[in-house]
Amino acid sequence: GRDAIAMGGRTIGFSSPTGSLELLHPATIASELRAHLPLSGGHLECVVLNACCTGGGRRAASSTADELDGAAQGCAGGAEMGSLGELVHKAGTPFVVCWKSLAHNEAAAELARGLAAAVMRGEGYARAFELAVNDVLAQLEPSAERAGVMSQRFALVDPMSARVARPGGGGAQLAA
């Protein structure tokens, strides 16, 4: 359990009543959800794993499009298992939303707000995800380089990607 997690596997942690972090093995999470899935007579259709590196691995199980450059560098739940997102999907969850890379807390919060709002309006999960991604990309902030100009706040790209310029290399713009 914990040894596999400590040796590079990724999972989600929860705060215990004492305030300590309790890690759950990815297989435990997938197993706990199984009884609630349609294959088992349940009604759980969508799982949102809104945490860093919960998707990716051998094959992305998330609904994220490949063009959102989210290389799963170090994000798999262990080579023998795949990511948490993959396990939840393989357990029978029809629709899984997860991050293949590190995720900015505020971008993740905006994604969750947009997804929930679209589902509440009656959108299907795939369309709700598309609209939520658009909400994230539509966030603006004042430009650091030009007074009075607003710039896109978030880009859906893995911050570890070679496409991301590093400090000292002319700013934080995406490399071509």
Side-chain angles (χ1 to χ4, degrees):
R2 290 189 189 275
D3 290 341
I5 293 168
M7 308 224 7
R10 301 287 181 134
T11 190
I12 293 181
F14 296 90
S15 296
S16 73
T18 64
S20 65
L21 180 64
E22 293 289 327
L23 299 177
L24 293 175
H25 196 279
T28 302
I29 295 170
S31 178
E32 290 295 322
L33 292 174
R34 190 176 315 238
H36 305 283
L37 298 171
L39 293 172
S40 300
H43 301 285
L44 183 61
E45 299 174 341
C46 179
V47 171
V48 179
L49 301 169
N50 204 9
C52 298
C53 301
T54 50
R58 290 184 306 274
R59 186 180 141 272
S62 71
S63 59
T64 55
D66 289 336
E67 67 267 14
L68 297 181
D69 185 26
Q73 300 168 340
C75 297
E80 75 286 351
M81 292 189 312
S83 69
L84 178 56
E86 285 179 300
L87 286 173
V88 170
H89 185 68
K90 287 176 186 174
T93 306
F95 197 88
V96 177
V97 177
C98 48
W99 292 87
K100 295 192 293 183
S101 68
L102 297 175
H104 189 285
N105 286 341
E106 292 175 34
E110 187 59 39
L111 182 78
R113 276 191 293 276
L115 186 66
V119 169
M120 293 300 294
R121 287 192 311 267
E123 299 289 350
Y125 298 120
R127 178 71 177 141
F129 175 78
E130 181 182 319
L131 293 170
V133 167
N134 289 342
D135 287 348
V136 171
L137 295 176
Q139 299 298 304
L140 299 175
E141 65 184 355
S143 172
E145 294 145 8
R146 296 182 57 195
V149 174
M150 298 298 282
S151 298
Q152 183 177 339
R153 185 170 184 201
F154 302 112
L156 295 180
V157 60
D158 183 343
M160 303 308 291
S161 169
R163 290 181 50 213
V164 177
R166 301 290 177 248
Q173 59 201 9
L174 295 178

